[in-house]
Amino acid sequence: MESSILTLLIFVPVAGAVLMLFFAMLYGKENAHYYKWIAAITTGIQLVLAGILYLNFDPALSITESPFTVQLNWITHFNIQYFLGVDGLSIPMVLLTALLSFICIISSWKIEKQALGYFSLFLLLDAGMMGVFLSMDFFLFYIFWEVMLLPMYFLIGIWGGPQRMYAAIKFFLYTLFGSVFMLLALLALYYYSDPHTFSLITLIQTVGSIDATLWGLSVKYLIWMALFIGFAIKVPIVPFHTWLPLAHVEAPTAVSVILAGVLLKMGTYGFLRISYPLLPGEMVNFAYILAVLGVINIIWGATNAIAQIDLKKMVAYSSVSHMGYVLLGIAAAISDSPAGAQAGMNGALMQMFNHGTITAMLFLLVGMLYDRTHHRWIVFPNDYEKPELAGQQGFGGLGAKVPVYTGFVAFAFFAGLGLPALSGFISEAMCFIGGFSVFRTLTIIATLGILLNAIYFLRAYQRIFLGPLNETYKDLPDITHRELFTIIPLAALILFFGVYPAPLLDMISPAMDGIIKIVQSVI
Amino acid sequence: MSNLSSLSFYIPELIIIIAILLVIVLDVIPVCKKYTFPLSLGAILLASVFLWQSYGESHGLFMGMISIDPFSHFFKMIFLLSTFSIILISRYEKQLDSNYSAEYNALLLIVLLGMFLMSSSINLIMIYLSIELVSIPSYILAGMLKNDKESNEASLKYVIFGSFASGLMLFGLSILYGITGSTDIGVVTAALQAIEYPLSIYFPLILILVGFGYKISMVPFHFWTPDVYEGAPTPITAFLSVAPKAAGFAILIRVFYTMFTLEGSVSATLPLTNINWPTLIAVASAVTMTLGNLLAVQQEDVKRLLAYSTISHVGFMLMAFAIISPDAVRAIMLYLFIYLFMNLSAFYMAIFASNKLNAHHINDWDGLSRKNPVLCAFMALTLISLTGLPPTAGFVGKFYIFAELFKHQQFYWLAVVAILNSVVSLYYYFKIIKSMYLVDVEGEVNKIEAHPVVNWSIILFSAQNILFFIYWEPLIGFIEKSINLWSG
């Protein structure tokens, strides 16, 4: 049982998708009801499996010792293995993926357009994400990384907003551009290391001895850069971020949740899983640039968010800003004070998890508003299609009309701006502590981000929920039970880890210590 | 081996020759006309049975004109498979006039025979003759739609380009004969080893490359490709994009590995002293894939788009050809094998679309996924595979080719060019997917069914993309056994 649980986590959703196809053949494609339930049940099973994994997970065990690890030969000719494992670095991501997938299926309950396609693609996406976080073989990792793009393309392209086709192909081209460089890095790692292997665990030992040069640069540096491009586009680090606001705005709610909640984390997960342990020397040299990029992300994302009048776009830019904290935190791994390095790295991983829950909640709430009012304008743009509305406030005074909804939005906004006692605060503070121990000036600049975050969240809150009620929305219904069901688990997690982060911290810190040790060993 | 005793090793070719003659004879007898179709298919099946029986044997036939070896067997399998499929599918193509079905089948069989010879010629004269035997019927096949202006244009362009290229190649071959005094490539190799002055080898080498490059549509000898592919009847386009290209690669590999390397065999690792043709090929490969891709981006006609995309695939295969090593040959063969299936299924889908919807322009494919969801799903799979994304066999093919560059630590710049090209190719392949899936169509849509033969051809050829991704080890093992060249 223990060794098959990781395989099941990946392939239960695939089985669900296949089951849907059978249903479609037997009963015709029209019955959206079947597909919803199949999707909900499969992601439910996956969530239960993830729960079992969590309960039996021992953070002290490394991947080679863990009872969950599966290692089988797939293509012996290339020494490719079906190698799955879980450690402190991947378990929060696995739990997050399982939770968000389930929640997203529930929140997509009203999808009627081509339900078969939507839910089966969603399950494939789920499987791909799970695979990325569980693969310990670089080839397998790469496969899942790419497999995930296909359903995402269709989900944005078919069920998205007016500019969906452009957004979908832009997302695909950007991320493919990044991942093809990863393919080159993968091959270089395979052929330069001795023995030739794709196993990320073995590579940690063998990569160190590569001392070849190419075009006047060391091969290891080139590999680092290739991996960096691949991961940076995913994070996204600022010059590569332009796919993100577009994709988020056009994607349907549940897909935005997955994009922001899970996909962005893959970039930083890739740094921690592959770049850091394999190329610690290059990482140390690059750490300062990484921190600078992190600070740029924080400030750039936040200032852009301030400028947005589309609520969803604002939340999308807030993600850019929040991922900046993660970059600052992981750059602090080079800190000469052990406490600083630990705070930075643990804070970064916690921020990845916490941002996943917070941003998911934000996108779900935005989606609920959109479902009811069919627009998301905080302020209507000047060239709006109805000239009498141009420049007017989009909402206003909803607070009195939909109090429960407003309460949750306030909760999510405060979590987003890093209010103490909510989970975002803890992880952001830890990233700053870590960052401050190495990059003083940068961190001081970065703390401005907190202020900027507060500006746009509070201003948006004020414009939408306070003031006199906009008469257009005098019949606005409040949150439904189904919607509550999707929001409450996230809110509970945000509150719980805000007050008592120890369970999360205990789970991840041994793995992060391991990475810090590798990095510190080359300084 | 003497001519008479060679015949017993030549049974598959003899079967094809008999079938060609029979088809021509049956065509003039009105009662028997309808038997030409099953006869052609039957002959191909019979030939493949005999070919399979002798698989792996290695002989020199007809006094050193032809060699039978595992390498040629592999390619012959590809030729038989694609010709069989094309003859089968052509019957369900509306454009083609069934009155000419016998001629059409006979011509295809002649091309098949020519390709058989191409993959196993080991004599300069045989090389030239076999290429012509493939080319001349192809010119006619491209112009098969007698009343269609574009088809006539295609045929004429093909003739002019083709004869020019083969003229240059013949010139190159004759120079080789002049400086070495023999037409047997084994003897030529030995003589070339002794020549120190590089220009005297470069000159014929480049002229020969013109002829071969034209067959595989390598830039800058690709100009005929888009026009011919667009004008020719679609099954012929599908055929030309796969089989003669595979034959071109077969002869390219055989000639270059035996004539222009130090070792003079498929296990070669170094080019002739002083001659740096791998760099020449690497540059040609980069230009071929880049140009093919950039031109494909602008295309709005599905057939033309696929035509340019085949040019870029050739560029990819040439990338491995720039690495002289048996592994590189294996990578090319794997890619060709996978490419055969994915390209045929893509073109069959184009046949389906033009037959049932009269759709040629990409916009005509709008909302096709609602008209035939099953075929569109498989077409999407094929396009993903052509792009080279996992989880498809196209990715495996590309992966092996990239792996060759890294394994031999050569031409990294080419790897970067190629990787950027595969991003570009995503854009235009997904234009078709966008039309099929993303574009909304107003109102009721009627389901459109393909003829079962077309339907199952697309599905089978496309399904291999998943199959050979999940487990490709047996395939690679099979190819591994097939890279032996006969050496006298």
Side-chain angles (χ1 to χ4, degrees), chain B residues 169-191:
Chain B
M169 184 182 67
L170 191 59
F171 188 37
L173 294 174
S174 56
I175 291 173
L176 268 187
Y177 173 68
I179 56 178
T180 60
S182 170
T183 56
D184 183 289
I185 59 173
V187 182
V188 171
T189 314

Side-chain angles (χ1 to χ4, degrees), chain A residues 291-334:
Chain A
V292 171
L293 290 171
V295 174
I296 294 176
N297 251 39
I298 295 173
I299 303 293
W300 185 266
T303 43
N304 268 288
I306 292 176
Q308 298 312 318
I309 49 172
D310 179 339
L311 186 59
K312 202 171 182 186
K313 217 167 185 169
M314 185 195 90
V315 176
Y317 272 109
S318 87
S319 291
V320 176
S321 177
H322 282 115
M323 290 312 285
Y325 297 115
V326 180
L327 292 175
L328 185 64
I330 59 174
I334 58 159

Side-chain angles (χ1 to χ4, degrees), chain A residues 42 130 201 312 381 439:
Chain A
T42 34
M130 227 17 138
I201 307 300
K312 202 171 182 186
F439 321 102

Side-chain angles (χ1 to χ4, degrees), chain A residues 359-492:
Chain A
T359 199
M361 196 167 160
L362 285 167
F363 275 115
L364 286 171
L365 289 164
V366 173
M368 290 171 199
L369 190 62
Y370 182 76
D371 283 345
R372 287 169 171 69
T373 62
H374 305 290
H375 80 88
R376 298 182 298 254
W377 299 110
I378 306 172
V379 177
F380 285 111
N382 288 328
D383 54 352
Y384 192 62
E385 55 203 22
K386 294 178 189 154
E388 70 276 13
L389 289 175
Q392 303 286 315
Q393 295 237 337
F395 304 97
L398 300 189
K401 193 69 220 166
V402 283
V404 184
Y405 176 77
T406 311
F408 277 109
V409 173
F411 181 87
F413 276 15
F414 282 123
L417 62 82
L419 192 77
L422 297 177
S423 64
F425 168 74
I426 310 250
S427 47
E428 284 169 25
M430 283 172 74
C431 289
F432 283 136
I433 295 169
F436 194 70
S437 68
V438 209
F439 321 102
R440 297 256 150 117
T441 331
L442 283 176
T443 312
I444 292 168
I445 302 171
T447 46
L448 270 179
I450 298 257
L451 190 66
L452 297 170
N453 276 338
I455 294 178
Y456 61 80
F457 273 128
L458 291 178
R459 200 172 57 160
Y461 184 76
Q462 184 194 0
R463 284 175 171 177
I464 296 174
F465 297 102
L466 305 182
L469 177 67
N470 186 334
E471 284 305 308
T472 325
Y473 304 116
K474 59 181 190 305
D475 297 324
L476 200 66
D478 206 344
I479 200 160
T480 66
H481 290 292
R482 179 179 61 82
E483 288 165 341
L484 272 181
F485 184 71
T486 62
I487 292 290
I488 285 179
L490 296 172

